[in-house]
Amino acid sequence: NAGVMQNPRHLVRRRGQEARLRCSPMKGHSHVYWYRQLPEEGLKFMVYLQKENIIDESGMPKERFSAEFPKEGPSILRIQQVVRGDSAAYFCASSRRDRGADTQYFGPGTRLTVL
Amino acid sequence: AQTVTQSQPEMSVQEAETVTLSCTYDTSESNYYLFWYKQPPSRQMILVIRQEAYKQQNATENRFSVNFQKAAKSFSLKISDSQLGDTAMYFCAFTGAGTYKYIFGTGTRLKVLA
């Protein structure tokens, strides 16, 4: 009964490099959400995906950030040309359905550090 | 816009005692869900308790219970018989019944003292 899996747990990148964060939802869950947690803050919604579809990316910066959830494999959050301000913890959550009645379960997060 | 406010940045409690963490929220929706998540030093987000707004009965999970005051838009978490393992950041979160975005407060850092 594996929960939401995220890897890597820690990722260090130099400015200008690319960061790829992976998320495998819980078994039976087809809805994936990405949140970002800046230091000393709560989590903030970034993007919501279903298989092969981005449903809502209203919380994601317009440039350098992209997300996908392919038919096969994990969901990927990609950050191109990282800057120091991208340093944060990135959490993935999954749910069975996409309404408040269905609790979102969170993964352990990926802590991104940009040098 | 919906907001969640946690006005206590830090709290401490002696082991075995009871502590209450505050949370208020603002929404115009009539049906919604409220959550408390625990984030220990490992940074994993762990669901502690969940409350449906249409239920008048306060949710409880073992040593954890909530005081849900819908009219006041208040949702406090009570931890009884505090244990050292309860030391963590605690986040209050809100979501509307017809949506999927969780709105989080800024958290309360709880330290349980031996």
mmCIF file of all heavy atoms in Angstrom, chain A residues 19-37:
data_model
loop_
_atom_site.group_PDB
_atom_site.id
_atom_site.type_symbol
_atom_site.label_atom_id
_atom_site.label_comp_id
_atom_site.label_asym_id
_atom_site.label_seq_id
_atom_site.Cartn_x
_atom_site.Cartn_y
_atom_site.Cartn_z
ATOM 1 N N ALA A 19 16.084 21.340 -13.509
ATOM 2 C CA ALA A 19 15.680 20.443 -12.428
ATOM 3 C C ALA A 19 14.464 19.640 -12.882
ATOM 4 O O ALA A 19 13.522 20.191 -13.443
ATOM 5 C CB ALA A 19 15.342 21.246 -11.178
ATOM 6 N N ARG A 20 14.529 18.329 -12.632
ATOM 7 C CA ARG A 20 13.396 17.446 -12.946
ATOM 8 C C ARG A 20 12.968 16.739 -11.680
ATOM 9 O O ARG A 20 13.749 16.024 -11.072
ATOM 10 C CB ARG A 20 13.797 16.409 -13.998
ATOM 11 C CG ARG A 20 13.751 16.929 -15.399
ATOM 12 C CD ARG A 20 14.001 15.823 -16.397
ATOM 13 N NE ARG A 20 13.983 16.378 -17.734
ATOM 14 C CZ ARG A 20 13.208 15.941 -18.707
ATOM 15 N NH1 ARG A 20 12.402 14.903 -18.494
ATOM 16 N NH2 ARG A 20 13.233 16.490 -19.880
ATOM 17 N N LEU A 21 11.709 16.931 -11.330
ATOM 18 C CA LEU A 21 11.162 16.345 -10.120
ATOM 19 C C LEU A 21 10.088 15.343 -10.537
ATOM 20 O O LEU A 21 9.252 15.641 -11.390
ATOM 21 C CB LEU A 21 10.543 17.427 -9.230
ATOM 22 C CG LEU A 21 11.468 18.407 -8.503
ATOM 23 C CD1 LEU A 21 12.313 19.248 -9.462
ATOM 24 C CD2 LEU A 21 10.655 19.313 -7.601
ATOM 25 N N ARG A 22 10.122 14.171 -9.909
ATOM 26 C CA ARG A 22 9.212 13.099 -10.306
ATOM 27 C C ARG A 22 8.231 12.759 -9.199
ATOM 28 O O ARG A 22 8.554 12.831 -8.012
ATOM 29 C CB ARG A 22 10.000 11.838 -10.672
ATOM 30 C CG ARG A 22 10.866 12.005 -11.902
ATOM 31 C CD ARG A 22 11.703 10.772 -12.151
ATOM 32 N NE ARG A 22 12.706 11.018 -13.169
ATOM 33 C CZ ARG A 22 13.836 11.684 -12.953
ATOM 34 N NH1 ARG A 22 14.119 12.134 -11.747
ATOM 35 N NH2 ARG A 22 14.690 11.865 -13.939
ATOM 36 N N CYS A 23 7.035 12.371 -9.614
ATOM 37 C CA CYS A 23 5.990 12.015 -8.663
ATOM 38 C C CYS A 23 5.182 10.841 -9.185
ATOM 39 O O CYS A 23 4.653 10.897 -10.299
ATOM 40 C CB CYS A 23 5.066 13.208 -8.436
ATOM 41 S SG CYS A 23 3.542 12.811 -7.554
ATOM 42 N N SER A 24 5.079 9.791 -8.381
ATOM 43 C CA SER A 24 4.203 8.668 -8.707
ATOM 44 C C SER A 24 3.041 8.688 -7.737
ATOM 45 O O SER A 24 3.250 8.592 -6.514
ATOM 46 C CB SER A 24 4.967 7.341 -8.598
ATOM 47 O OG SER A 24 6.004 7.288 -9.546
ATOM 48 N N PRO A 25 1.822 8.808 -8.233
ATOM 49 C CA PRO A 25 0.663 8.907 -7.324
ATOM 50 C C PRO A 25 0.374 7.578 -6.649
ATOM 51 O O PRO A 25 0.919 6.537 -7.003
ATOM 52 C CB PRO A 25 -0.482 9.291 -8.267
ATOM 53 C CG PRO A 25 -0.069 8.775 -9.607
ATOM 54 C CD PRO A 25 1.425 8.878 -9.646
ATOM 55 N N MET A 26 -0.485 7.637 -5.664
ATOM 56 C CA MET A 26 -0.934 6.426 -4.989
ATOM 57 C C MET A 26 -1.679 5.547 -5.989
ATOM 58 O O MET A 26 -2.291 6.028 -6.942
ATOM 59 C CB MET A 26 -1.870 6.774 -3.830
ATOM 60 C CG MET A 26 -1.173 7.284 -2.594
ATOM 61 S SD MET A 26 -2.311 7.697 -1.267
ATOM 62 C CE MET A 26 -2.870 6.070 -0.788
ATOM 63 N N LYS A 27 -1.671 4.265 -5.727
ATOM 64 C CA LYS A 27 -2.367 3.321 -6.585
ATOM 65 C C LYS A 27 -3.848 3.666 -6.626
ATOM 66 O O LYS A 27 -4.471 3.909 -5.586
ATOM 67 C CB LYS A 27 -2.169 1.901 -6.046
ATOM 68 C CG LYS A 27 -2.651 0.822 -6.987
ATOM 69 C CD LYS A 27 -2.330 -0.562 -6.449
ATOM 70 C CE LYS A 27 -2.805 -1.632 -7.418
ATOM 71 N NZ LYS A 27 -2.515 -3.002 -6.930
ATOM 72 N N GLY A 28 -4.395 3.718 -7.831
ATOM 73 C CA GLY A 28 -5.816 4.019 -7.977
ATOM 74 C C GLY A 28 -6.124 5.498 -8.081
ATOM 75 O O GLY A 28 -7.275 5.884 -8.290
ATOM 76 N N HIS A 29 -5.098 6.338 -7.926
ATOM 77 C CA HIS A 29 -5.282 7.790 -8.036
ATOM 78 C C HIS A 29 -4.856 8.260 -9.421
ATOM 79 O O HIS A 29 -3.752 7.946 -9.869
ATOM 80 C CB HIS A 29 -4.444 8.514 -6.985
ATOM 81 C CG HIS A 29 -4.956 8.365 -5.596
ATOM 82 N ND1 HIS A 29 -4.469 9.118 -4.547
ATOM 83 C CD2 HIS A 29 -5.918 7.565 -5.069
ATOM 84 C CE1 HIS A 29 -5.113 8.789 -3.444
ATOM 85 N NE2 HIS A 29 -5.986 7.837 -3.730
ATOM 86 N N SER A 30 -5.733 9.046 -10.055
ATOM 87 C CA SER A 30 -5.395 9.535 -11.388
ATOM 88 C C SER A 30 -5.298 11.055 -11.443
ATOM 89 O O SER A 30 -5.170 11.628 -12.519
ATOM 90 C CB SER A 30 -6.437 9.037 -12.402
ATOM 91 O OG SER A 30 -7.728 9.487 -12.012
ATOM 92 N N HIS A 31 -5.373 11.684 -10.269
ATOM 93 C CA HIS A 31 -5.295 13.142 -10.211
ATOM 94 C C HIS A 31 -4.047 13.520 -9.429
ATOM 95 O O HIS A 31 -3.852 13.045 -8.304
ATOM 96 C CB HIS A 31 -6.537 13.711 -9.534
ATOM 97 C CG HIS A 31 -7.806 13.328 -10.220
ATOM 98 N ND1 HIS A 31 -8.380 14.098 -11.199
ATOM 99 C CD2 HIS A 31 -8.589 12.234 -10.079
ATOM 100 C CE1 HIS A 31 -9.481 13.498 -11.634
ATOM 101 N NE2 HIS A 31 -9.628 12.368 -10.976
ATOM 102 N N VAL A 32 -3.238 14.383 -10.021
ATOM 103 C CA VAL A 32 -1.968 14.778 -9.421
ATOM 104 C C VAL A 32 -1.891 16.301 -9.296
ATOM 105 O O VAL A 32 -2.296 17.027 -10.206
ATOM 106 C CB VAL A 32 -0.785 14.249 -10.267
ATOM 107 C CG1 VAL A 32 0.522 14.911 -9.856
ATOM 108 C CG2 VAL A 32 -0.661 12.737 -10.125
ATOM 109 N N TYR A 33 -1.370 16.746 -8.180
ATOM 110 C CA TYR A 33 -1.247 18.171 -7.894
ATOM 111 C C TYR A 33 0.181 18.452 -7.436
ATOM 112 O O TYR A 33 0.755 17.665 -6.697
ATOM 113 C CB TYR A 33 -2.213 18.578 -6.769
ATOM 114 C CG TYR A 33 -3.592 17.988 -6.900
ATOM 115 C CD1 TYR A 33 -3.860 16.705 -6.430
ATOM 116 C CD2 TYR A 33 -4.630 18.696 -7.486
ATOM 117 C CE1 TYR A 33 -5.113 16.144 -6.556
ATOM 118 C CE2 TYR A 33 -5.896 18.149 -7.609
ATOM 119 C CZ TYR A 33 -6.124 16.871 -7.148
ATOM 120 O OH TYR A 33 -7.386 16.313 -7.276
ATOM 121 N N TRP A 34 0.702 19.570 -7.865
ATOM 122 C CA TRP A 34 2.018 20.010 -7.392
ATOM 123 C C TRP A 34 1.845 21.294 -6.573
ATOM 124 O O TRP A 34 1.105 22.215 -6.967
ATOM 125 C CB TRP A 34 2.964 20.279 -8.556
ATOM 126 C CG TRP A 34 3.486 19.043 -9.225
ATOM 127 C CD1 TRP A 34 2.940 18.396 -10.297
ATOM 128 C CD2 TRP A 34 4.659 18.308 -8.888
ATOM 129 N NE1 TRP A 34 3.700 17.302 -10.651
ATOM 130 C CE2 TRP A 34 4.767 17.225 -9.798
ATOM 131 C CE3 TRP A 34 5.649 18.450 -7.905
ATOM 132 C CZ2 TRP A 34 5.814 16.304 -9.756
ATOM 133 C CZ3 TRP A 34 6.680 17.536 -7.866
ATOM 134 C CH2 TRP A 34 6.759 16.478 -8.782
ATOM 135 N N TYR A 35 2.558 21.330 -5.442
ATOM 136 C CA TYR A 35 2.561 22.493 -4.572
ATOM 137 C C TYR A 35 4.010 22.883 -4.299
ATOM 138 O O TYR A 35 4.900 22.038 -4.277
ATOM 139 C CB TYR A 35 1.888 22.184 -3.223
ATOM 140 C CG TYR A 35 0.397 21.963 -3.281
ATOM 141 C CD1 TYR A 35 -0.125 20.742 -3.696
ATOM 142 C CD2 TYR A 35 -0.494 22.963 -2.897
ATOM 143 C CE1 TYR A 35 -1.499 20.525 -3.734
ATOM 144 C CE2 TYR A 35 -1.869 22.757 -2.927
ATOM 145 C CZ TYR A 35 -2.353 21.534 -3.346
ATOM 146 O OH TYR A 35 -3.717 21.336 -3.381
ATOM 147 N N ARG A 36 4.212 24.152 -4.012
ATOM 148 C CA ARG A 36 5.547 24.629 -3.661
ATOM 149 C C ARG A 36 5.506 25.234 -2.256
ATOM 150 O O ARG A 36 4.563 25.964 -1.914
ATOM 151 C CB ARG A 36 6.033 25.674 -4.670
ATOM 152 C CG ARG A 36 7.397 26.235 -4.339
ATOM 153 C CD ARG A 36 8.023 26.967 -5.490
ATOM 154 N NE ARG A 36 7.317 28.177 -5.887
ATOM 155 C CZ ARG A 36 7.760 29.020 -6.811
ATOM 156 N NH1 ARG A 36 8.899 28.780 -7.437
ATOM 157 N NH2 ARG A 36 7.072 30.089 -7.125
ATOM 158 N N GLN A 37 6.539 24.936 -1.484
ATOM 159 C CA GLN A 37 6.653 25.494 -0.142
ATOM 160 C C GLN A 37 7.955 26.265 -0.044
ATOM 161 O O GLN A 37 9.035 25.672 0.004
ATOM 162 C CB GLN A 37 6.601 24.406 0.928
ATOM 163 C CG GLN A 37 6.633 24.961 2.348
ATOM 164 C CD GLN A 37 6.637 23.858 3.395
ATOM 165 O OE1 GLN A 37 7.133 22.760 3.177
ATOM 166 N NE2 GLN A 37 6.072 24.153 4.556
#
